Amino acid sequence: MSRGIRGGLLGRHRDFRLLWCGETAGKFGASVTGVAMPLVAVSTLHAGTFEVGLLTAAAWVPWLVIGLPVGVWVDRMRRRPIMLAAAAVSCLLFACVPVAAWAGRLSIGLLLTVALLTGTAAVFFQTAYSAYLPGILEPEDQPEGNAKLHGSASAAQIAGLGSGGLIAQLAGAVNGMFANAATFLVSLLCLSGIRHREPRVTGTAHRPKSLAGEVGEGLRLVAGDPWLRTLTLFGAASNLALMGYQSILVVFLVRGVGLGPGPVGALVAAAGIGGVAGAFVARRVAGRVGTARATLLFELGLPVFALLIPLTTGGAGVVLFVAGGFCVSAGVVAGNVVKASFQQRYCPPGLLGRLTATTAFLNYGTIPLGALLGGTLGTALGIRTAMWITTAGVPLAALILLFSPVGRSRDLPTSRPPRSAPPHVTAVSGVQ
């Protein structure tokens, strides 16, 4: 398949285009919820800072509970049906929130239940999606595919965050959940149109081990490899800090800075534009300076500006929030583009589901802890002090990368060394 055809990957690859549309729609809806859910809790149910943090934590707890076995199940089954089921479940659950409000049954308990169940669906979807992408794209197309998916996801998140605040102001925060349900319906329809069919996994030769044995294989893969181990530990520490401040961000902007729902959505969306910029430049920067050096630049250099966020005040002071949030978003998304392409090339295809689940179990497993940390610090020390502590943790987490093989290399490796050979510090140069 020629790579020179006009329109690039989206123009010449129908199945990827449908996957891209479906994922973009889902990210848009999830972003609407990211603003609408806390606003429902704060403005409609008058929840406290800790309860808002708990609501965020509930969406990520499933990664700790079922993240590892889901990776095994994804490697045992075809990935597309899993994604279809997860999108359908999410659509129904989010639609339940405004229905419950109309019936007078809306409560913090219900919001926590919806967050927990949709978080469970997201575990299945994200694990299957990450393992499914290499099956529909050639290896040389995967970096472009990852960049487009991450870039469009960031753009959708920006639009969703802005729309979430606008919908909350015009129609009420609760009605914003209908918009999210509709986007998961769009995602379901797009995924249904993909023509590529994975071969059915048959035969016991592919599944000689118990569930626990296969989970252990994924854990040993990450623990025994210096590159995977380093990136996973960094992801866990980084997400702890990121979610620490993001879980209380709406409370900070509403109660600490004094903004309304509309401006909150607009500001968060403006800061999120950095994610689009990060996805746009990730491959170019990695190709110029090397994938390992680019990872340090994205994950350590840019996140230093997170310290501008706690300085935010009303009026012109909101520029500090936009600048800090822009840099953090750019660094996170660009780093994810580099990391995704590295993992898809570095990991054997038969282990990709377990690798995704194992790293997500550790990376995402700290997210509910970060959300609880943010809520606890905000309650005990005050919202602005909590923002200072949690945002400082974002660049500090990247010290794990600096004092690892990543910090001593130009490029991340493109293939795993033989088991008998010791890992090399200087990796083979490759395309991001």
Side-chain angles (χ1 to χ4, degrees):
M1 186 179 292
S2 172
R3 301 189 63 184
I5 296 177
R6 186 176 180 179
L9 190 57
L10 285 174
R12 57 186 164 83
H13 201 303
R14 178 184 179 275
D15 283 349
F16 175 77
R17 184 166 62 250
L18 286 171
L19 180 65
W20 176 81
C21 289
E23 170 68 0
T24 301
K27 290 296 185 184
F28 175 83
S31 297
V32 170
T33 301
V35 174
M37 278 275 229
L39 285 174
V40 169
V42 171
S43 60
T44 303
L45 300 175
H46 308 291
T49 302
F50 181 77
E51 288 175 308
V52 174
L54 189 63
L55 183 63
T56 303
W60 296 97
V61 162
W63 285 103
L64 283 173
V65 178
I66 62 169
L68 291 176
V70 166
V72 176
W73 295 328
V74 165
D75 279 339
R76 289 180 176 183
M77 298 183 290
R78 290 180 293 180
R79 283 75 184 254
R80 178 174 165 272
I82 296 175
M83 293 188 291
L84 288 170
V89 168
S90 297
C91 177
L92 291 174
L93 286 170
F94 284 124
C96 286
V97 174
V99 172
W102 295 345
R105 302 280 184 174
L106 186 62
S107 66
I108 287 293
L110 178 63
L111 288 182
L112 287 172
T113 300
V114 170
L116 187 65
L117 294 177
T118 54
T120 299
V123 173
F124 281 92
F125 187 95
Q126 187 63 38
T127 304
Y129 155 78
S130 299
Y132 183 69
L133 181 64
I136 65 172
L137 292 183
E138 298 295 331
E140 61 269 20
D141 285 329
Q142 289 171 20
E144 181 185 351
N146 283 315
K148 280 184 165 56
L149 285 166
H150 282 284
S152 63
S154 296
Q157 287 170 345
I158 293 166
L161 290 168
S163 299
L166 184 61
I167 291 170
Q169 188 155 353
L170 297 179
V174 171
N175 290 333
M177 308 305 291
F178 269 136
N180 192 30
T183 57
F184 276 99
L185 178 60
V186 172
S187 180
L188 180 64
L189 294 174
C190 289
L191 293 172
S192 299
I194 294 178
R195 294 171 181 167
H196 173 74
R197 295 293 183 269
E198 304 162 274
R200 186 180 297 276
V201 180
T202 57
T204 57
H206 295 285
R207 303 188 298 224
K209 299 179 181 179
S210 65
L211 178 65
E214 294 191 60
V215 167
E217 190 172 3
L219 289 169
R220 287 191 296 273
L221 172 67
V222 173
D225 187 284
W227 302 97
L228 297 176
R229 183 173 63 246
T230 295
L231 290 171
T232 301
L233 289 175
F234 159 71
S238 178
N239 283 339
L240 181 71
L242 285 167
M243 189 51 60
Y245 87 79
Q246 290 176 3
S247 66
I248 57 175
L249 184 58
V250 170
V251 182
F252 171 68
L253 293 175
V254 171
R255 295 178 180 168
V257 182
L259 302 177
V264 167
L267 282 176
V268 175
I273 293 175
V276 178
F280 181 76
V281 304
R283 286 193 300 151
R284 293 171 175 79
V285 174
R288 183 176 295 273
V289 305
T291 52
R293 292 175 182 172
T295 300
L296 280 179
L297 173 64
F298 296 141
E299 304 288 14
L300 178 59
L302 288 178
V304 168
F305 294 95
L307 294 172
L308 294 175
I309 295 175
L311 295 171
T312 304
T313 59
V318 298
V319 173
L320 295 172
F321 170 79
V322 174
F326 182 96
C327 291
V328 172
S329 297
V332 168
V333 173
N336 284 342
V337 170
V338 176
K339 179 182 176 182
S341 296
F342 159 70
Q343 287 185 342
Q344 289 164 1
R345 287 196 167 193
Y346 189 71
C347 179
L351 290 172
L352 192 53
R354 272 162 284 179
L355 172 64
T356 300
T358 301
T359 55
F361 169 75
L362 298 170
N363 290 347
Y364 297 163
T366 60
I367 287 180
L369 300 179
L372 292 174
L373 176 65
T376 301
L377 289 174
T379 301
L381 303 177
I383 192 68
R384 195 173 292 270
T385 300
M387 291 293 289
W388 274 111
I389 294 172
T390 51
T391 53
V394 179
L396 288 176
L399 295 179
I400 294 173
L401 298 175
L402 185 63
F403 298 111
S404 75
V406 176
R408 301 188 294 272
S409 306
R410 183 187 187 276
D411 286 281
L412 301 172
T414 56
S415 62
R416 296 186 69 208
R419 289 188 177 184
S420 58
H424 295 288
V425 169
T426 303
V428 178
S429 178
V431 179
Q432 188 274 325

